[in-house]
Amino acid sequence: MPRIGAFNLHAIDAGTLRLDGGAMFGIVPRTLWERRMKPDARGRITLQMRCLLLEGEDRLMLIDTGAGTKTDEKFNDWFALKAVDPGEAIVQAGFLPDEVTDVILTHLHFDHAGGSTWRKGESIVPRFKNATYYVQRAQLESARAPNAREAGSFLPENIEPLSACGQLHTLDGPCNLVRGVDLNIVHGHTDAQQLVRVSGNEGSLVFVADLIPTIHHVRPPWIMAYDVRPLVTVSEKRAFLDEAAEHSFTVFFEHDPVIEIANVISGEQGVRLINPRLLTEL
Protein backbone atom coordinates (compact mmCIF):
# COMPACT_ATOMS: atom_id res chain seq x y z
CA MET A 1 0.00 0.00 0.00
CA PRO A 2 1.51 3.39 -0.96
CA ARG A 3 2.29 5.66 1.95
CA ILE A 4 3.48 9.25 2.36
CA GLY A 5 4.30 10.50 5.82
CA ALA A 6 1.61 9.40 8.27
CA PHE A 7 -0.91 8.52 5.57
CA ASN A 8 -1.74 5.46 3.53
CA LEU A 9 -3.11 6.54 0.14
CA HIS A 10 -6.10 5.01 -1.62
CA ALA A 11 -7.40 6.05 -5.06
CA ILE A 12 -11.21 6.07 -4.97
CA ASP A 13 -13.20 5.48 -8.16
CA ALA A 14 -16.27 7.74 -8.21
CA GLY A 15 -17.21 6.87 -11.80
CA THR A 16 -16.95 8.62 -15.15
CA LEU A 17 -18.56 11.40 -17.13
CA ARG A 18 -18.14 12.87 -20.58
CA LEU A 19 -17.54 16.54 -21.32
CA ASP A 20 -17.19 18.37 -24.60
CA GLY A 21 -13.66 17.89 -25.88
CA GLY A 22 -13.44 21.37 -27.31
CA ALA A 23 -14.41 22.86 -23.97
CA MET A 24 -11.89 20.68 -22.16
CA PHE A 25 -9.03 21.90 -24.38
CA GLY A 26 -10.04 25.48 -25.12
CA ILE A 27 -8.10 27.02 -28.01
CA VAL A 28 -6.16 23.82 -28.76
CA PRO A 29 -7.24 22.61 -32.23
CA ARG A 30 -9.32 19.44 -32.31
CA THR A 31 -6.83 17.83 -34.68
CA LEU A 32 -4.31 17.94 -31.81
CA TRP A 33 -6.39 16.97 -28.77
CA GLU A 34 -8.37 14.18 -30.45
CA ARG A 35 -5.12 12.28 -31.07
CA ARG A 36 -4.86 11.98 -27.30
CA MET A 37 -8.51 11.70 -26.22
CA LYS A 38 -10.95 10.31 -28.77
CA PRO A 39 -14.38 11.97 -28.68
CA ASP A 40 -17.72 10.22 -29.06
CA ALA A 41 -20.31 11.05 -31.72
CA ARG A 42 -21.43 14.06 -29.66
CA GLY A 43 -17.89 15.43 -29.36
CA ARG A 44 -17.50 14.39 -25.71
CA ILE A 45 -14.42 12.82 -24.14
CA THR A 46 -14.47 10.38 -21.24
CA LEU A 47 -13.13 11.66 -17.94
CA GLN A 48 -12.59 9.85 -14.68
CA MET A 49 -13.87 11.14 -11.36
CA ARG A 50 -11.05 9.97 -9.11
CA CYS A 51 -10.92 10.89 -5.44
CA LEU A 52 -8.14 10.31 -2.93
CA LEU A 53 -8.53 8.80 0.53
CA LEU A 54 -5.91 9.50 3.21
CA GLU A 55 -5.76 7.02 6.08
CA GLY A 56 -3.67 7.97 9.12
CA GLU A 57 -3.31 10.14 12.23
CA ASP A 58 -6.61 8.68 13.50
CA ARG A 59 -8.32 10.24 10.49
CA LEU A 60 -9.90 9.09 7.27
CA MET A 61 -9.74 12.07 4.91
CA LEU A 62 -11.44 12.11 1.51
CA ILE A 63 -10.45 14.59 -1.19
CA ASP A 64 -13.43 15.37 -3.44
CA THR A 65 -16.51 13.19 -3.82
CA GLY A 66 -17.34 12.88 -7.53
CA ALA A 67 -20.78 13.69 -8.92
CA GLY A 68 -22.78 11.42 -6.64
CA THR A 69 -25.96 9.58 -7.55
CA LYS A 70 -28.73 12.17 -6.99
CA THR A 71 -29.00 13.47 -10.54
CA ASP A 72 -31.89 12.72 -12.88
CA GLU A 73 -32.00 10.84 -16.17
CA LYS A 74 -31.75 13.95 -18.35
CA PHE A 75 -28.68 15.19 -16.48
CA ASN A 76 -27.07 11.76 -16.62
CA ASP A 77 -27.63 11.51 -20.37
CA TRP A 78 -26.25 14.97 -21.06
CA PHE A 79 -22.98 14.13 -19.33
CA ALA A 80 -23.03 10.35 -20.00
CA LEU A 81 -22.72 10.18 -16.23
CA LYS A 82 -21.84 6.80 -14.74
CA ALA A 83 -21.38 7.85 -11.15
CA VAL A 84 -20.37 5.63 -8.26
CA ASP A 85 -21.59 6.55 -4.80
CA PRO A 86 -18.40 7.60 -2.95
CA GLY A 87 -19.56 5.80 0.18
CA GLU A 88 -19.79 2.53 -1.73
CA ALA A 89 -16.39 3.20 -3.29
CA ILE A 90 -14.92 3.68 0.17
CA VAL A 91 -16.40 0.34 1.24
CA GLN A 92 -14.58 -1.24 -1.70
CA ALA A 93 -11.37 0.24 -0.28
CA GLY A 94 -12.03 -1.52 3.04
CA PHE A 95 -13.60 1.27 5.11
CA LEU A 96 -17.04 2.44 6.17
CA PRO A 97 -18.60 5.79 5.17
CA ASP A 98 -19.23 6.63 8.83
CA GLU A 99 -15.47 6.35 9.47
CA VAL A 100 -14.71 9.34 7.22
CA THR A 101 -13.62 12.21 9.48
CA ASP A 102 -12.81 14.91 6.92
CA VAL A 103 -13.81 15.77 3.35
CA ILE A 104 -11.67 18.30 1.50
CA LEU A 105 -13.57 19.80 -1.43
CA THR A 106 -11.17 21.29 -3.95
CA HIS A 107 -14.13 23.28 -5.30
CA LEU A 108 -17.89 22.95 -5.57
CA HIS A 109 -18.49 22.08 -9.23
CA PHE A 110 -20.89 19.15 -9.42
CA ASP A 111 -18.31 16.59 -10.59
CA HIS A 112 -16.16 17.33 -7.53
CA ALA A 113 -18.75 17.91 -4.81
CA GLY A 114 -21.93 16.10 -5.88
CA GLY A 115 -21.15 13.00 -3.85
CA SER A 116 -20.97 15.08 -0.69
CA THR A 117 -24.73 14.60 -0.22
CA TRP A 118 -27.21 11.86 -1.08
CA ARG A 119 -30.90 11.08 -0.96
CA LYS A 120 -32.11 9.46 2.23
CA GLY A 121 -35.84 8.93 2.00
CA GLU A 122 -37.37 12.24 0.96
CA SER A 123 -34.40 14.28 2.16
CA ILE A 124 -30.94 15.17 0.85
CA VAL A 125 -28.39 14.86 3.63
CA PRO A 126 -24.59 14.71 4.01
CA ARG A 127 -23.18 11.44 2.66
CA PHE A 128 -20.58 11.29 5.42
CA LYS A 129 -22.46 12.08 8.59
CA ASN A 130 -19.41 12.20 10.88
CA ALA A 131 -17.19 14.27 8.61
CA THR A 132 -16.23 17.92 8.57
CA TYR A 133 -16.31 19.27 5.00
CA TYR A 134 -13.70 21.90 4.13
CA VAL A 135 -14.05 24.51 1.38
CA GLN A 136 -12.62 27.97 0.83
CA ARG A 137 -14.96 30.80 1.84
CA ALA A 138 -14.45 32.57 -1.51
CA GLN A 139 -15.42 29.40 -3.37
CA LEU A 140 -18.58 29.01 -1.28
CA GLU A 141 -19.52 32.62 -1.97
CA SER A 142 -19.03 32.04 -5.70
CA ALA A 143 -21.17 28.93 -5.59
CA ARG A 144 -24.01 30.77 -3.85
CA ALA A 145 -23.89 33.73 -6.24
CA PRO A 146 -22.38 32.22 -9.39
CA ASN A 147 -21.28 34.02 -12.52
CA ALA A 148 -22.98 33.10 -15.78
CA ARG A 149 -20.18 30.75 -16.84
CA GLU A 150 -20.35 28.60 -13.72
CA ALA A 151 -24.03 28.73 -12.81
CA GLY A 152 -24.75 25.27 -14.26
CA SER A 153 -21.86 23.70 -12.35
CA PHE A 154 -22.91 24.75 -8.84
CA LEU A 155 -25.93 22.81 -7.57
CA PRO A 156 -27.40 23.93 -4.22
CA GLU A 157 -28.34 20.36 -3.27
CA ASN A 158 -24.63 19.50 -3.18
CA ILE A 159 -23.83 22.33 -0.79
CA GLU A 160 -26.66 23.60 1.36
CA PRO A 161 -27.43 20.34 3.24
CA LEU A 162 -23.83 20.40 4.50
CA SER A 163 -24.28 23.94 5.79
CA ALA A 164 -27.68 23.19 7.31
CA CYS A 165 -26.24 20.28 9.30
CA GLY A 166 -23.30 22.35 10.53
CA GLN A 167 -20.75 20.13 8.77
CA LEU A 168 -19.42 22.71 6.29
CA HIS A 169 -16.30 24.51 7.49
CA THR A 170 -14.93 27.46 5.53
CA LEU A 171 -11.26 28.34 5.23
CA ASP A 172 -9.59 31.60 4.20
CA GLY A 173 -6.52 31.01 2.12
CA PRO A 174 -3.73 28.44 2.19
CA CYS A 175 -3.18 26.50 5.38
CA ASN A 176 -1.80 23.41 7.03
CA LEU A 177 -4.95 21.37 7.71
CA VAL A 178 -3.25 18.62 9.71
CA ARG A 179 0.35 17.48 9.99
CA GLY A 180 1.49 16.51 6.51
CA VAL A 181 -1.58 17.87 4.67
CA ASP A 182 -1.35 21.39 3.24
CA LEU A 183 -3.86 23.34 1.14
CA ASN A 184 -2.69 25.75 -1.54
CA ILE A 185 -5.05 28.02 -3.46
CA VAL A 186 -5.39 28.81 -7.17
CA HIS A 187 -7.95 31.05 -8.86
CA GLY A 188 -7.83 30.48 -12.62
CA HIS A 189 -10.35 27.68 -13.00
CA THR A 190 -12.70 29.04 -10.34
CA ASP A 191 -12.42 31.22 -7.25
CA ALA A 192 -10.19 29.69 -4.57
CA GLN A 193 -9.72 26.14 -5.77
CA GLN A 194 -7.81 24.06 -3.21
CA LEU A 195 -4.82 21.92 -4.23
CA VAL A 196 -3.97 19.34 -1.58
CA ARG A 197 -0.34 18.42 -0.85
CA VAL A 198 0.45 15.33 1.21
CA SER A 199 4.05 15.31 2.46
CA GLY A 200 6.46 13.10 4.36
CA ASN A 201 10.01 11.78 4.24
CA GLU A 202 9.06 9.95 1.03
CA GLY A 203 8.34 13.25 -0.73
CA SER A 204 5.14 15.06 -1.66
CA LEU A 205 2.06 14.14 -3.66
CA VAL A 206 -0.24 16.91 -4.89
CA PHE A 207 -3.89 16.45 -5.78
CA VAL A 208 -4.05 18.96 -8.63
CA ALA A 209 -7.83 18.86 -9.27
CA ASP A 210 -8.78 21.07 -12.24
CA LEU A 211 -5.53 22.98 -12.45
CA ILE A 212 -4.25 20.00 -14.46
CA PRO A 213 -7.26 17.72 -14.98
CA THR A 214 -5.48 15.14 -17.19
CA ILE A 215 -1.93 14.38 -18.25
CA HIS A 216 -2.75 16.07 -21.57
CA HIS A 217 -3.25 19.41 -19.79
CA VAL A 218 0.33 19.68 -18.51
CA ARG A 219 1.41 22.10 -21.22
CA PRO A 220 0.53 25.58 -19.89
CA PRO A 221 -1.50 26.70 -22.96
CA TRP A 222 -3.60 23.50 -22.90
CA ILE A 223 -6.34 24.77 -20.62
CA MET A 224 -10.09 24.41 -20.39
CA ALA A 225 -12.61 26.81 -21.87
CA TYR A 226 -14.43 26.30 -18.57
CA ASP A 227 -11.76 28.30 -16.71
CA VAL A 228 -13.07 31.68 -15.56
CA ARG A 229 -9.60 33.29 -15.79
CA PRO A 230 -7.64 31.47 -18.53
CA LEU A 231 -4.46 33.54 -18.35
CA VAL A 232 -4.37 33.12 -14.59
CA THR A 233 -4.58 29.36 -15.08
CA VAL A 234 -1.61 29.49 -17.45
CA SER A 235 0.44 31.45 -14.92
CA GLU A 236 -0.59 29.26 -11.99
CA LYS A 237 0.17 26.08 -13.89
CA ARG A 238 3.64 27.28 -14.87
CA ALA A 239 4.43 28.30 -11.31
CA PHE A 240 3.17 25.02 -9.91
CA LEU A 241 5.05 22.87 -12.43
CA ASP A 242 8.29 24.74 -11.77
CA GLU A 243 7.86 24.12 -8.04
CA ALA A 244 6.86 20.50 -8.65
CA ALA A 245 9.97 19.88 -10.77
CA GLU A 246 12.26 21.60 -8.25
CA HIS A 247 10.94 19.51 -5.36
CA SER A 248 10.21 16.27 -7.27
CA PHE A 249 6.50 16.29 -6.53
CA THR A 250 4.24 13.46 -7.60
CA VAL A 251 0.96 14.73 -9.05
CA PHE A 252 -2.41 12.98 -8.71
CA PHE A 253 -4.84 13.38 -11.62
CA GLU A 254 -8.53 13.55 -10.82
CA HIS A 255 -9.89 13.33 -14.36
CA ASP A 256 -7.40 11.38 -16.46
CA PRO A 257 -9.20 8.21 -17.63
CA VAL A 258 -6.06 6.05 -17.41
CA ILE A 259 -3.23 7.62 -15.40
CA GLU A 260 -3.54 8.28 -11.67
CA ILE A 261 -0.11 9.75 -10.88
CA ALA A 262 3.10 10.94 -12.51
CA ASN A 263 6.34 12.64 -11.52
CA VAL A 264 7.36 16.11 -12.69
CA ILE A 265 10.89 16.87 -13.85
CA SER A 266 12.68 19.73 -15.57
CA GLY A 267 15.02 19.22 -18.51
CA GLU A 268 16.23 20.76 -21.75
CA GLN A 269 12.72 20.53 -23.20
CA GLY A 270 11.24 22.26 -20.16
CA VAL A 271 9.00 20.82 -17.47
CA ARG A 272 7.46 17.45 -18.30
CA LEU A 273 5.92 14.33 -16.78
CA ILE A 274 7.68 11.02 -16.30
CA ASN A 275 6.62 7.66 -14.87
CA PRO A 276 2.87 7.96 -15.50
CA ARG A 277 1.27 5.04 -13.67
CA LEU A 278 -1.24 3.89 -11.08
CA LEU A 279 -1.11 4.92 -7.44
CA THR A 280 -0.60 1.31 -6.39
CA GLU A 281 2.74 1.43 -8.20
CA LEU A 282 4.00 4.35 -6.09
Side-chain angles (χ1 to χ4, degrees), residues 114-137:
S116 298
T117 62
W118 68 333
R119 294 189 185 276
K120 193 171 184 180
E122 298 298 316
S123 302
I124 297 178
V125 299
R127 180 63 180 97
F128 304 102
K129 67 180 184 179
N130 296 320
T132 298
Y133 291 75
Y134 297 93
V135 69
Q136 288 289 312
R137 188 184 307 275

Side-chain angles (χ1 to χ4, degrees), residues 110-174:
F110 75 86
D111 55 322
H112 296 257
S116 298
T117 62
W118 68 333
R119 294 189 185 276
K120 193 171 184 180
E122 298 298 316
S123 302
I124 297 178
V125 299
R127 180 63 180 97
F128 304 102
K129 67 180 184 179
N130 296 320
T132 298
Y133 291 75
Y134 297 93
V135 69
Q136 288 289 312
R137 188 184 307 275
Q139 172 64 189
L140 180 60
E141 292 172 352
S142 290
R144 286 174 166 167
N147 60 66
R149 289 171 64 96
E150 294 185 280
S153 295
F154 293 126
L155 306 180
E157 59 267 32
N158 296 336
I159 305 163
E160 299 310 333
L162 306 176
S163 181
C165 291
Q167 292 180 235
L168 189 62
H169 182 81
T170 54
L171 301 168
D172 292 298

Side-chain angles (χ1 to χ4, degrees), residues 57-127:
E57 297 282 39
D58 295 321
R59 292 175 180 259
L60 198 60
M61 309 179 72
L62 180 64
I63 306 172
D64 278 353
T65 61
T69 55
K70 305 184 303 295
T71 48
D72 61 26
E73 185 175 341
K74 181 179 179 181
F75 188 96
N76 295 344
D77 176 69
W78 184 261
F79 294 104
L81 187 61
K82 297 181 179 178
V84 176
D85 169 58
E88 293 181 5
I90 283 173
V91 170
Q92 293 299 313
F95 305 95
L96 298 175
D98 290 354
E99 294 177 314
V100 176
T101 58
D102 309 88
V103 178
I104 302 170
L105 297 172
T106 61
H107 58 297
L108 296 172
H109 290 169
F110 75 86
D111 55 322
H112 296 257
S116 298
T117 62
W118 68 333
R119 294 189 185 276
K120 193 171 184 180
E122 298 298 316
S123 302
I124 297 178
V125 299
R127 180 63 180 97

Side-chain angles (χ1 to χ4, degrees), residues 218-220 242 265-273:
V218 168
R219 298 177 184 178
D242 285 344
I265 66 167
S266 182
E268 294 181 1
Q269 305 266 328
V271 174
R272 63 187 180 93
L273 296 178

Side-chain angles (χ1 to χ4, degrees), residues 18-272:
R18 292 181 186 175
L19 296 178
D20 182 82
M24 281 300 297
F25 287 100
I27 64 170
V28 178
R30 176 169 176 159
T31 53
L32 294 181
W33 64 254
E34 72 177 355
R35 298 175 192 170
R36 295 164 172 81
M37 303 191 79
K38 186 174 177 58
D40 66 10
R42 292 162 65 175
R44 304 172 302 180
I45 58 174
T46 298
L47 299 169
Q48 185 70 33
M49 292 181 289
R50 183 180 295 113
C51 311
L52 181 62
L53 190 66
L54 310 179
E55 172 205 1
E57 297 282 39
D58 295 321
R59 292 175 180 259
L60 198 60
M61 309 179 72
L62 180 64
I63 306 172
D64 278 353
T65 61
T69 55
K70 305 184 303 295
T71 48
D72 61 26
E73 185 175 341
K74 181 179 179 181
F75 188 96
N76 295 344
D77 176 69
W78 184 261
F79 294 104
L81 187 61
K82 297 181 179 178
V84 176
D85 169 58
E88 293 181 5
I90 283 173
V91 170
Q92 293 299 313
F95 305 95
L96 298 175
D98 290 354
E99 294 177 314
V100 176
T101 58
D102 309 88
V103 178
I104 302 170
L105 297 172
T106 61
H107 58 297
L108 296 172
H109 290 169
F110 75 86
D111 55 322
H112 296 257
S116 298
T117 62
W118 68 333
R119 294 189 185 276
K120 193 171 184 180
E122 298 298 316
S123 302
I124 297 178
V125 299
R127 180 63 180 97
F128 304 102
K129 67 180 184 179
N130 296 320
T132 298
Y133 291 75
Y134 297 93
V135 69
Q136 288 289 312
R137 188 184 307 275
Q139 172 64 189
L140 180 60
E141 292 172 352
S142 290
R144 286 174 166 167
N147 60 66
R149 289 171 64 96
E150 294 185 280
S153 295
F154 293 126
L155 306 180
E157 59 267 32
N158 296 336
I159 305 163
E160 299 310 333
L162 306 176
S163 181
C165 291
Q167 292 180 235
L168 189 62
H169 182 81
T170 54
L171 301 168
D172 292 298
C175 69
N176 170 249
L177 193 59
V178 299
R179 184 171 65 95
V181 179
D182 293 285
L183 307 180
N184 296 306
I185 313 304
V186 290
H187 301 279
H189 178 61
T190 186
D191 286 332
Q193 178 181 202
Q194 302 186 127
L195 307 185
V196 186
R197 187 174 77 233
V198 186
S199 302
N201 292 334
E202 303 85 350
S204 293
L205 178 143
V206 182
F207 189 102
V208 291
D210 277 349
L211 177 66
I212 311 175
T214 77
I215 63 170
H216 310 293
H217 289 84
V218 168
R219 298 177 184 178
W222 288 52
I223 61 173
M224 295 183 282
Y226 298 116
D227 291 357
V228 296
R229 302 177 187 87
L231 294 180
V232 173
T233 296
V234 172
S235 176
E236 289 172 338
K237 192 190 303 188
R238 282 184 172 136
F240 169 76
L241 289 170
D242 285 344
E243 181 184 12
E246 180 181 356
H247 298 287
S248 301
F249 289 168
T250 298
V251 292
F252 183 98
F253 298 102
E254 188 162 11
H255 285 312
D256 195 280
V258 179
I259 300 302
E260 294 176 354
I261 59 172
N263 296 111
V264 180
I265 66 167
S266 182
E268 294 181 1
Q269 305 266 328
V271 174
R272 63 187 180 93

